[in-house]
Amino acid sequence: MNFTSGKELLAICNKKNLLISEVMIEREISQFDLTKKEIFSKMDETRTVMEESIENGKKDSKLSFTGLIGGEAKMLHEYYLKYNTISGKSVLTGVINALSVMEENSKMGKIVAAPTAGSSGILPATIISTAKRFNISNQKINEALFTASAIGYIITKNATVSGAEGGCQAETGSASAMAAGALVELLGGNPTQSLSAASFTLKNVLGLVCDPVAGLVELPCAKRNALGVSNAMLSADMALAGIETKIPFDEVVEAMYRVGKKMHPDLKETAEGGIAATKTAREFEKRIFK
Amino acid sequence: MSISTFDCLGPIMIGPSSSHTAGAAKIGLVANKIANNNIKSVIFYLHGSFAKTHKGHGTDKALLGGILGFDEKDKRIRHSFEIAKERNLEFKFIEKDLGDVHPNTVLIEMTSNENTITTIQGTSTGGGAMEINMLNGLNVKFSGNAPTIITVHKDVPGVVAKVTAVLAEKNLNISTMSVLKDESNNTATMIIEVDKIFDNSIKDLLLSKIEAVNKIYLF
């Protein structure tokens, strides 16, 4: 079994009455000659690394090698425990977790690139914090991660998830789309709603540039991961409410790819534009690489 | 090659960058295997973005970690400088323009305990993937994703057939194969990717059965 687009995926889901995760698992079995047990044990390992990276990053206030980020997940966590916050429990616990993974990443900790290291906070943070809140089992989390990977696969196949090729919209945008689609299935939504949610998230960040200070995966990447969490959650809620994307997922992916192609190279991971080219960013850069 | 679930959710890796850290560790690990883990000293020539940002991304630690035999998810990468010192492995990083190559490229020069030198050049192509593009000065191209056999042999007729016959005898199915000739010294290099893992006895078998084969690298 195989599919190469959102349209084909939905057709299989509808015809066979399957969830996106079920189709993706079938595809994995048929394409890579693995058993279901092997695939789930690999996903167990993946999920465990995700959970550990969430826990490790916020443990302390250690700074990254460059000193650009670090300690912010812990700071936000303490604030959240102490005060009546604006964003509330679900968004903030997700954001704390996303910052945590990104800080762990910057300290050379172990993470899962999902789909990249620069966007590695969004998916674990969104899925695992929501699953905890709703008391959802690890088995269900694993299944949701297959749904996420189906969306990531379609974007990789038809466009790109690389910041160097498509800007931040392709990188954190794709991670959020994966997370949004997975959230929908996690909370009992159907495949069409999953792709609607994924479409919303991508549309929301279309044109977002990749402008890492000093070329490093730290600033503004960590905060873009925070944004990615809230983007995914809002999009999933809209889809679960029955709001449908007017533009099909495949066309949104194509639009994202075209925007990425048109983006100037200065705005695609080269640290020559955007936030990376500000006066202060240049001063950081000089200090780091002196 | 089809894209799998674990290409989208992966690799599991030591941060911070799939291209500058995970890909670098993979290049180092292939170099380690090519040198059969017999490395007394190593020099890394860092090009382009690798030269510019290797400190901030831990590219240096990842490359050295690979040379020490660590894969991209091994936490020991963080301490590879200290571990190399404990193992008396000498190492040096030199920023160098390697010419018209991808920005994330490194040339690795390894000296064995018997003072033979092996060089390997690799490029981290993104998302944790990499390719090796030079081996001992010869242009090559392989990804390290599949079990690989590399032969260096005298450029005489029949070698390819003899090598593939040995592989068939061992029930190894070839997925890709390329042959590169070096006319200056009448040798050829053959890179064979196979679709299942082999045991190292294949090396002795090839060397003993085919006279024209001078060297075998496996990984």
Side-chain angles (χ1 to χ4, degrees):
Chain A
M1 183 194 287
N2 203 0
F3 58 91
T4 59
S5 66
K7 195 178 166 189
E8 287 174 23
L9 171 62
L10 284 186
I12 299 171
C13 288
N14 292 337
K15 192 176 158 202
K16 301 195 170 180
N17 197 22
L18 293 173
L19 294 169
I20 293 178
S21 59
E22 292 171 314
V23 176
M24 193 61 181
I25 292 161
E26 284 293 319
R27 175 183 181 270
E28 200 72 14
I29 291 168
S30 70
Q31 296 284 304
F32 300 96
D33 199 23
L34 293 165
T35 65
K36 198 168 177 178
K37 200 176 161 206
E38 285 168 331
I39 294 167
F40 269 90
S41 117
K42 247 176 141 175
M43 194 55 95
D44 266 331
E45 187 195 356
T46 302
R47 180 180 44 76
T48 307
V49 174
M50 286 179 167
E51 286 167 350
E52 286 168 357
S53 61
I54 285 174
E55 291 312 314
N56 289 338
K58 63 186 171 199
K59 258 190 216 154
D60 55 45
S61 301
K62 270 189 208 144
L63 298 180
S64 67
F65 176 78
T66 62
L68 287 180
I69 62 169
E72 290 163 349
K74 187 166 181 265
M75 204 182 285
L76 193 61
H77 191 218
E78 283 164 2
Y79 159 80
Y80 160 74
L81 291 176
K82 207 167 163 188
Y83 298 100
N84 195 4
T85 66
I86 299 165
S87 322
K89 185 176 180 177
S90 45
V91 171
L92 267 193
T93 48
V95 167
I96 290 163
N97 289 349
L99 290 181
S100 188
V101 175
M102 289 302 285
E103 288 176 16
E104 183 66 1
N105 182 53
S106 73
K107 289 183 278 194
M108 294 192 85
K110 201 189 219 180
I111 56 103
V112 179
T116 62
S119 61
S120 58
I122 297 169
L123 181 65
T126 313
I127 300 303
I128 291 169
S129 68
T130 306
K132 240 185 201 168
R133 204 175 134 230
F134 287 87
N135 226 348
I136 293 170
S137 70
N138 284 343
Q139 169 70 17
K140 285 274 172 212
I141 296 176
N142 284 356
E143 288 166 10
L145 292 174
F146 281 105
T147 305
S149 70
I151 293 166
Y153 156 67
I154 294 170
I155 301 174
T156 307
K157 177 99 190 154
N158 298 291
T160 177
V161 297
S162 144
E165 212 182 335
C168 195
Q169 55 158 10
E171 202 161 328
T172 62
S174 297
S176 308
M178 291 161 68
L183 269 185
V184 167
E185 188 176 311
L186 195 69
L187 294 189
N190 65 40
T192 305
Q193 289 174 321
S194 276
L195 290 196
S196 269
S199 304
F200 296 147
T201 55
L202 267 184
K203 283 189 273 185
N204 289 347
V205 292
L206 214 65
L208 190 63
V209 302
C210 178
D211 49 357
V213 172
L216 304 172
V217 190
E218 301 191 9
L219 210 75
C221 317
K223 313 299 187 296
R224 296 256 171 88
N225 274 253
L227 169 77
V229 168
S230 53
N231 188 10
M233 288 181 172
L234 287 175
S235 299
D237 266 335
M238 287 194 280
L240 284 166
I243 304 175
E244 274 188 41
T245 181
K246 299 285 189 297
I247 311 295
F249 177 65
D250 294 328
E251 291 180 38
V252 175
V253 170
E254 196 194 332
M256 184 275 280
Y257 194 41
R258 275 193 273 112
V259 169
K261 290 239 170 211
K262 281 188 181 167
M263 221 179 253
H264 193 278
D266 284 358
L267 302 171
K268 290 193 276 192
E269 215 181 282
T270 52
E272 298 294 343
I275 292 298
T278 58
K279 186 168 154 272
T280 305
R282 291 300 188 208
E283 282 163 12
F284 280 135
E285 194 173 352
K286 251 187 231 155
R287 180 174 62 72
I288 294 164
F289 297 123
K290 67 166 185 262
Chain B
M1 185 79 183
S2 205
I3 302 159
S4 97
T5 294
F6 301 97
D7 294 322
C8 300
L9 299 186
I12 294 173
M13 55 170 272
I14 300 302
S17 161
S18 51
S19 55
H20 286 74
T21 320
K26 279 190 192 170
I27 295 170
L29 188 58
V30 168
N32 164 287
K33 288 184 180 163
I34 295 272
N36 208 9
N37 198 22
N38 175 355
I39 307 165
K40 185 176 73 180
S41 67
V42 58
I43 304 172
F44 301 93
Y45 296 96
L46 303 163
H47 172 84
S49 176
F50 265 16
K52 194 180 160 213
T53 66
H54 66 94
K55 279 185 190 153
H57 277 129
T59 308
D60 42 10
K61 291 178 185 170
L63 283 167
L64 187 61
I67 289 289
L68 290 164
F70 308 156
D71 67 20
E72 73 277 5
K73 57 181 165 184
D74 195 320
K75 282 186 179 166
R76 288 176 293 180
I77 282 179
R78 263 184 278 184
H79 309 293
S80 54
F81 280 41
E82 293 85 344
I83 297 168
K85 279 175 195 151
E86 280 166 24
R87 294 191 190 171
N88 289 320
L89 172 75
E90 290 171 38
F91 59 93
K92 210 189 308 183
F93 294 90
I94 297 172
E95 292 168 18
K96 191 182 177 188
D97 185 347
L98 296 173
D100 186 19
V101 293
H102 186 287
N104 294 337
T105 297
V106 58
L107 175 67
I108 305 175
E109 188 181 296
M110 299 168 282
T111 305
S112 74
N113 290 307
E114 297 75 33
N115 290 318
T116 55
I117 290 175
T118 306
T119 63
I120 186 168
Q121 181 176 297
T123 295
S124 175
T125 52
M130 66 97 201
E131 72 168 37
I132 300 298
N133 36 51
M134 207 178 269
L135 174 62
N136 291 330
L138 270 179
N139 291 320
V140 296
K141 195 179 174 181
F142 56 91
S143 66
N145 284 336
T148 306
I149 299 163
I150 301 171
T151 68
V152 179
H153 56 265
K154 246 185 265 165
D155 190 17
V156 293
V159 178
V160 174
K162 284 178 190 163
V163 170
T164 53
V166 170
L167 299 191
E169 193 185 304
K170 282 276 172 183
N171 206 18
L172 288 169
N173 195 19
I174 295 171
S175 43
T176 72
M177 182 165 105
S178 58
V179 185
L180 302 139
K181 293 186 181 211
D182 181 359
E183 281 167 8
S184 66
N185 58 7
N186 197 33
T187 61
T189 300
M190 183 158 52
I191 301 151
I192 307 162
E193 291 183 317
V194 296
D195 61 9
K196 72 172 191 207
I197 296 168
F198 43 77
D199 68 75
N200 287 351
S201 66
I202 190 98
K203 181 174 176 172
D204 292 334
L205 195 63
L206 286 165
L207 284 170
S208 64
K209 278 203 167 179
I210 311 162
E211 206 188 320
V213 173
N214 301 323
K215 254 186 201 165
I216 301 281
Y217 301 105
L218 304 174
F219 63 89

Short mmCIF file of all heavy atoms in Angstrom, two decimals, chain A residues 217-240:
data_model
loop_
_atom_site.label_atom_id
_atom_site.label_comp_id
_atom_site.label_asym_id
_atom_site.label_seq_id
_atom_site.Cartn_x
_atom_site.Cartn_y
_atom_site.Cartn_z
N VAL A 217 21.11 26.80 15.54
CA VAL A 217 19.73 26.40 15.79
C VAL A 217 19.29 26.83 17.19
O VAL A 217 19.07 26.01 18.06
CB VAL A 217 19.60 24.86 15.65
CG1 VAL A 217 18.13 24.45 15.65
CG2 VAL A 217 20.26 24.38 14.38
N GLU A 218 19.22 28.14 17.42
CA GLU A 218 18.88 28.61 18.77
C GLU A 218 17.90 29.78 18.73
O GLU A 218 16.80 29.72 19.26
CB GLU A 218 20.17 29.03 19.50
CG GLU A 218 21.17 27.88 19.61
CD GLU A 218 22.32 28.17 20.54
OE1 GLU A 218 22.30 29.19 21.25
OE2 GLU A 218 23.27 27.37 20.54
N LEU A 219 18.31 30.85 18.08
CA LEU A 219 17.56 32.10 18.08
C LEU A 219 17.27 32.51 16.64
O LEU A 219 18.22 32.64 15.88
CB LEU A 219 18.48 33.15 18.74
CG LEU A 219 17.86 34.29 19.51
CD1 LEU A 219 17.35 33.78 20.83
CD2 LEU A 219 18.93 35.35 19.76
N PRO A 220 16.07 32.70 16.24
CA PRO A 220 14.81 32.66 16.98
C PRO A 220 14.13 31.28 16.96
O PRO A 220 12.94 31.18 17.25
CB PRO A 220 13.96 33.66 16.21
CG PRO A 220 14.41 33.50 14.78
CD PRO A 220 15.86 33.12 14.83
N CYS A 221 14.87 30.22 16.66
CA CYS A 221 14.27 28.89 16.45
C CYS A 221 13.44 28.39 17.64
O CYS A 221 12.36 27.84 17.45
CB CYS A 221 15.36 27.87 16.13
SG CYS A 221 16.59 28.51 14.99
N ALA A 222 13.98 28.57 18.85
CA ALA A 222 13.27 28.03 20.03
C ALA A 222 11.89 28.68 20.15
O ALA A 222 10.89 27.98 20.37
CB ALA A 222 14.10 28.27 21.29
N LYS A 223 11.82 30.00 19.98
CA LYS A 223 10.52 30.69 20.11
C LYS A 223 9.60 30.36 18.94
O LYS A 223 8.38 30.35 19.08
CB LYS A 223 10.70 32.21 20.19
CG LYS A 223 11.77 32.70 21.14
CD LYS A 223 11.50 32.31 22.58
CE LYS A 223 12.51 32.96 23.51
NZ LYS A 223 13.92 32.54 23.30
N ARG A 224 10.18 30.09 17.78
CA ARG A 224 9.34 29.67 16.65
C ARG A 224 8.72 28.31 16.94
O ARG A 224 7.62 28.01 16.49
CB ARG A 224 10.18 29.60 15.37
CG ARG A 224 10.76 30.93 14.94
CD ARG A 224 10.02 31.53 13.76
NE ARG A 224 10.45 32.89 13.48
CZ ARG A 224 11.47 33.23 12.71
NH1 ARG A 224 12.18 32.31 12.11
NH2 ARG A 224 11.77 34.50 12.53
N ASN A 225 9.43 27.50 17.70
CA ASN A 225 8.86 26.22 18.12
C ASN A 225 7.69 26.46 19.09
O ASN A 225 6.69 25.75 19.06
CB ASN A 225 9.92 25.34 18.78
CG ASN A 225 10.71 24.51 17.78
OD1 ASN A 225 10.55 23.32 17.67
ND2 ASN A 225 11.55 25.18 16.99
N ALA A 226 7.85 27.46 19.95
CA ALA A 226 6.76 27.82 20.87
C ALA A 226 5.53 28.23 20.07
O ALA A 226 4.41 27.78 20.33
CB ALA A 226 7.21 28.95 21.79
N LEU A 227 5.74 29.07 19.09
CA LEU A 227 4.63 29.49 18.21
C LEU A 227 4.01 28.28 17.52
O LEU A 227 2.78 28.19 17.39
CB LEU A 227 5.14 30.48 17.15
CG LEU A 227 4.14 30.78 16.03
CD1 LEU A 227 3.08 31.75 16.51
CD2 LEU A 227 4.84 31.33 14.79
N GLY A 228 4.87 27.37 17.08
CA GLY A 228 4.40 26.18 16.37
C GLY A 228 3.43 25.34 17.20
O GLY A 228 2.47 24.77 16.66
N VAL A 229 3.69 25.27 18.49
CA VAL A 229 2.80 24.52 19.40
C VAL A 229 1.42 25.15 19.42
O VAL A 229 0.40 24.48 19.24
CB VAL A 229 3.39 24.48 20.83
CG1 VAL A 229 2.36 23.98 21.84
CG2 VAL A 229 4.64 23.62 20.86
N SER A 230 1.37 26.47 19.63
CA SER A 230 0.06 27.12 19.74
C SER A 230 -0.66 27.09 18.39
O SER A 230 -1.88 26.89 18.33
CB SER A 230 0.20 28.55 20.26
OG SER A 230 1.11 29.27 19.49
N ASN A 231 0.09 27.24 17.33
CA ASN A 231 -0.49 27.16 15.98
C ASN A 231 -1.15 25.79 15.76
O ASN A 231 -2.29 25.70 15.29
CB ASN A 231 0.63 27.41 14.96
CG ASN A 231 0.13 27.55 13.52
OD1 ASN A 231 -1.08 27.63 13.28
ND2 ASN A 231 1.05 27.56 12.57
N ALA A 232 -0.45 24.75 16.16
CA ALA A 232 -0.98 23.38 15.98
C ALA A 232 -2.23 23.17 16.82
O ALA A 232 -3.22 22.60 16.36
CB ALA A 232 0.09 22.35 16.35
N MET A 233 -2.20 23.65 18.05
CA MET A 233 -3.35 23.44 18.95
C MET A 233 -4.59 24.19 18.46
O MET A 233 -5.70 23.64 18.45
CB MET A 233 -2.99 23.89 20.36
CG MET A 233 -2.01 22.94 21.05
SD MET A 233 -1.64 23.47 22.72
CE MET A 233 -0.70 22.06 23.32
N LEU A 234 -4.39 25.44 18.07
CA LEU A 234 -5.53 26.24 17.57
C LEU A 234 -6.10 25.60 16.31
O LEU A 234 -7.32 25.50 16.15
CB LEU A 234 -5.06 27.66 17.21
CG LEU A 234 -4.73 28.59 18.37
CD1 LEU A 234 -4.17 29.90 17.85
CD2 LEU A 234 -5.99 28.84 19.19
N SER A 235 -5.22 25.17 15.41
CA SER A 235 -5.67 24.58 14.15
C SER A 235 -6.44 23.29 14.39
O SER A 235 -7.45 23.03 13.75
CB SER A 235 -4.47 24.31 13.24
OG SER A 235 -3.81 25.53 12.96
N ALA A 236 -5.95 22.48 15.34
CA ALA A 236 -6.63 21.22 15.65
C ALA A 236 -8.02 21.49 16.23
O ALA A 236 -8.99 20.84 15.85
CB ALA A 236 -5.79 20.41 16.64
N ASP A 237 -8.11 22.47 17.12
CA ASP A 237 -9.42 22.82 17.68
C ASP A 237 -10.39 23.29 16.60
O ASP A 237 -11.56 22.92 16.59
CB ASP A 237 -9.27 23.89 18.77
CG ASP A 237 -9.17 23.28 20.17
OD1 ASP A 237 -9.67 22.15 20.35
OD2 ASP A 237 -8.60 23.94 21.05
N MET A 238 -9.89 24.12 15.70
CA MET A 238 -10.76 24.62 14.62
C MET A 238 -11.27 23.46 13.77
O MET A 238 -12.46 23.39 13.43
CB MET A 238 -10.02 25.63 13.74
CG MET A 238 -9.80 26.98 14.42
SD MET A 238 -9.30 28.30 13.28
CE MET A 238 -7.57 27.98 13.08
N ALA A 239 -10.35 22.53 13.45
CA ALA A 239 -10.75 21.39 12.61
C ALA A 239 -11.74 20.48 13.35
O ALA A 239 -12.71 20.01 12.77
CB ALA A 239 -9.52 20.60 12.18
N LEU A 240 -11.48 20.25 14.64
CA LEU A 240 -12.37 19.40 15.42
C LEU A 240 -13.76 20.03 15.59
O LEU A 240 -14.75 19.33 15.77
CB LEU A 240 -11.76 19.09 16.80
CG LEU A 240 -10.62 18.06 16.79
CD1 LEU A 240 -9.85 18.09 18.11
CD2 LEU A 240 -11.14 16.65 16.51
#
